[in-house]
Amino acid sequence: MQVKAPAALPVAAPAKHRAVLGQLSDMDLRLLQVFKSVAECGGMAAAELELNIGTSTVSRHMKDLETRLGLTLCRRGRAGFALTAEGQRVYDETLRLLSAVDAFRSSIDDIHSRMGGQLAVAVFDKTASNPAARISEAIAAFAEQAPGVNLQLHVGSINTIERGVMDGSYHVGIIPAHRSSQSLIYTDLFTETMLLYCGAGHPLYGAQHPALDWDSLRSYLFAGLGYHSPNMELSHRAELTRTATGFDQESIATLILSGRFLGFLPDHYAEAFERTGRMQAVQPDQFHYECKFVSMVRRSPTPSRATQAFQDCLARAHAAQR
């Protein structure tokens, strides 16, 4: 009798290799910090200076991280550097993870009743020349009170600073007040005066125009900020059509200096341009507005001792001028 051999079972296709991250180590955190710098600098060569290590070492760290995660995080070649879709997701998660690690360290410092770690503060641009801004005094007081804290000072747009405080990238933000969020705690600080300026070569430069009003102002090209801000709110109220867009005060100043556009700038910042005859305020008694600056921190989780101490230093430095 002939016995038939059992039919061969179908051979399963080999499972696609997938890296299992497992426990995070100090080295993993180091690799993620390198990846964060590479992503934010726009490439490995650019990150070399930020990280103070050679490009070959940066490249090796990136390859190690990709192997560890089992993912391709970026593309590099003649077309330039770009994160892959997976790389962008890993970058977003890296920001959350590093923020949580920093919060953990701050909490441990709180338990030990000491202030250490890092404190990231972000300030809207061109505030240093404002005599009403006493941020430097607050920094001096904080440095004396918390010498063990590594203070990081950033400059950014209003939207960038708001997002950074909300996601924990920044611990304290200082911006012009323009809207409020229930997830943030605000403290009033100082004000600055915004005036309308034109550059040399503009039709309004060097001339008196007593009949000029908001209605007639609309016939001139206007440069404004391209994100929600007091500048944008005013231009909407006054129905000024933005024909050129800037994303910080310096870009607005550059557009004004072209002699083609009108635009609002802080009077303390524009003063240097006025002294050299490159810019002029247009009927400052009429075309102006006040901009109130506030500091902000996240409502939850509860700000660390270092964050609260810096907030207190800001409040004390500006209390005398209110």
Side-chain angles (χ1 to χ4, degrees):
M1 183 175 66
Q2 186 177 12
V3 179
K4 288 185 178 181
L9 295 175
V11 179
K16 185 179 178 182
H17 174 69
R18 177 178 180 272
V20 179
L21 187 58
Q23 296 295 321
L24 279 175
S25 66
D26 288 345
M27 187 60 194
D28 290 323
L29 293 176
R30 172 61 178 158
L31 294 178
L32 289 170
Q33 287 169 338
V34 169
F35 169 60
K36 175 178 177 290
S37 295
V38 169
E40 292 175 350
C41 292
M44 287 181 241
E48 179 181 6
L49 295 176
E50 173 74 17
L51 296 167
N52 196 28
I53 56 177
T55 304
S56 60
T57 304
V58 176
S59 178
R60 187 174 68 253
H61 286 335
M62 287 294 295
K63 289 179 181 176
D64 289 345
L65 181 61
E66 288 180 328
T67 300
R68 184 87 166 98
L69 299 177
L71 298 169
T72 300
L73 301 177
C74 59
R75 307 286 183 192
R76 49 260 194 198
R78 292 183 179 180
F81 174 89
L83 292 180
T84 62
E86 293 84 1
Q88 183 61 53
R89 287 190 61 185
V90 172
Y91 172 73
D92 294 338
E93 293 302 327
T94 296
L95 293 182
R96 281 189 275 272
L97 173 62
L98 295 180
S99 175
V101 170
D102 187 57
F104 175 78
R105 288 174 178 150
S106 296
S107 295
I108 298 302
D109 286 335
D110 283 348
I111 294 172
H112 287 284
S113 299
R114 66 173 184 247
M115 287 184 280
Q118 295 180 342
L119 183 72
V121 178
V123 185
F124 187 59
D125 70 318
K126 301 298 180 288
T127 58
S129 56
N130 186 347
R134 299 180 179 176
I135 301 172
S136 58
E137 295 177 22
I139 290 173
F142 177 78
E144 183 175 355
Q145 181 179 345
V149 175
N150 178 9
L151 185 62
Q152 297 179 340
L153 191 62
H154 304 260
V155 175
S157 69
I158 295 176
N159 290 359
T160 299
I161 295 173
E162 283 179 322
R163 286 196 302 270
V165 173
M166 287 180 179
D167 67 24
S169 300
Y170 304 136
H171 300 100
V172 181
I174 300 172
I175 63 169
H178 66 120
R179 61 187 174 190
S180 60
S181 169
Q182 293 298 318
S183 63
L184 299 174
I185 301 172
Y186 300 88
T187 302
D188 292 343
L189 296 181
F190 58 91
T191 61
E192 71 180 5
T193 301
M194 304 289 292
L195 302 180
L196 185 69
Y197 290 92
C198 64
H202 192 276
L204 295 179
Y205 186 87
Q208 296 296 322
H209 297 274
L212 191 67
D213 57 18
W214 288 101
D215 290 334
S216 56
L217 205 62
R218 299 184 193 116
S219 62
Y220 297 95
L221 300 179
F222 175 73
L225 291 175
Y227 48 79
H228 195 276
S229 59
N231 180 286
M232 181 177 282
E233 290 177 352
L234 175 76
S235 62
H236 284 173
R237 285 198 309 270
E239 299 180 5
L240 299 175
T241 301
R242 192 171 73 243
T243 51
T245 301
F247 292 90
D248 53 34
Q249 303 286 29
E250 188 163 352
S251 61
I252 297 296
T254 303
L255 290 166
I256 294 171
L257 290 169
S258 72
R260 296 284 296 167
F261 303 94
L262 298 175
F264 284 95
L265 288 174
D267 58 353
H268 56 86
Y269 172 52
E271 182 182 0
F273 298 116
E274 287 191 283
R275 282 201 309 267
T276 56
R278 302 178 65 197
M279 192 180 290
Q280 182 183 75
V282 178
Q283 292 186 208
D285 290 341
Q286 183 175 8
F287 303 119
H288 68 272
Y289 65 94
E290 294 296 312
C291 196
K292 181 174 70 174
F293 274 70
V294 297
S295 64
M296 56 187 183
V297 299
R298 279 200 296 184
R299 189 176 298 277
S300 179
T302 303
S304 67
R305 289 182 65 242
T307 300
Q308 190 56 58
F310 190 84
Q311 277 282 81
D312 293 343
C313 289
L314 282 172
R316 285 195 298 270
H318 292 92
Q321 63 188 11
R322 292 184 198 143

